[in-house]
Amino acid sequence: MARQGNLHSQLVAWLKIILPLAALGLLSTLFLLSRSIDTNNAIPFSNIDIEKRAREQGASNPAFAGVTDSGDEVIVNARTAWPDLSNPERILAEVVDAQLLLTTGEVIDITSDSAEVLQQEYIATLIGNVVVTTSTGYRMTTETLESRFDTLHAESLAPVSGTGPPGKLDAARMLLTSDPDTGDAHLLFTGGVKLLYQPQNSGE
């Protein structure tokens, strides 16, 4: 009986050692088999399109009207416009349609795919498929045109081509300005000007 008691005591003592070790082994196995956690993807964040959010805070179909120092009226419309996040003084716009109503009675229409406006400097840069049409019969196209709001001044930053009363025109640059004495608008072409003269049909 004493021997059985000793055996029982030894068994209990061994179990006190073996069982905790077995439990630790099971826990270790669970940790090894568990999926590792990627701390970068622990919390899913949606990707936010900053430019899109800025456009949403912009304006649809905005319009601007002003008068130059010589009295010419400037009217600008766009499909959308929004502030530039990197420069609060810079406004971006898409599908731009501008009209200049000159004191001399002439009308100049300008359209473009987009525009960048610097408010403090009164400068607007029209970009992409810029078309300048005048009531005197000129229709010129270019890719970039820089214009001002405070005075009659528009200058192409890329080659221009189109038609006018003299015929077909191509030039490296085009400048729209006004005569300081008379206020008349002048359309000047410079840099490798090419003119294909097309005489007007007299109807005879």
Side-chain angles (χ1 to χ4, degrees), residues 38-48:
D38 186 351
T39 55
N40 294 327
N41 297 325
I43 302 176
F45 290 98
S46 60
N47 294 324
I48 300 175

Side-chain angles (χ1 to χ4, degrees), residues 10 22 28-29 34 41 54 58 81 118 126 161 163 172 187 190-191 193:
Q10 290 177 0
S28 299
T29 303
S34 65
N41 297 325
L118 297 177
L126 293 93
S161 63
T163 59
L187 200 57
T190 60
V193 179

Side-chain angles (χ1 to χ4, degrees), residues 54-55 57-59 81-88 90-92:
R55 293 188 185 189
Q57 295 177 355
W82 64 97
D84 184 358
L85 295 178
S86 61
N87 182 2
R90 185 166 171 258
I91 301 298
L92 307 176

Side-chain angles (χ1 to χ4, degrees), residues 70-149:
S70 58
D72 302 315
E73 295 183 41
V74 180
I75 303 171
V76 181
N77 296 280
R79 186 173 65 186
T80 54
W82 64 97
D84 184 358
L85 295 178
S86 61
N87 182 2
E89 295 299 327
R90 185 166 171 258
I91 301 298
L92 307 176
E94 287 183 345
V95 188
V96 179
D97 182 359
Q99 188 175 65
L100 306 178
L101 305 176
L102 308 186
T103 56
T104 56
E106 297 175 59
V107 179
I108 300 172
D109 292 299
I110 305 174
T111 61
S112 68
D113 291 341
S114 62
E116 300 176 358
V117 180
L118 297 177
Q119 300 181 84
Q120 290 185 342
E121 300 178 21
Y122 301 103
I123 295 176
T125 303
L126 293 93
I127 305 168
N129 296 316
V130 182
V131 180
V132 179
T133 307
T134 72
S135 58
T136 55
Y138 286 90
R139 187 182 188 278
M140 306 302 298
T141 62
T142 184
E143 280 303 306
T144 311
L145 182 76
E146 184 178 275
S147 63
R148 299 190 60 87
F149 292 128

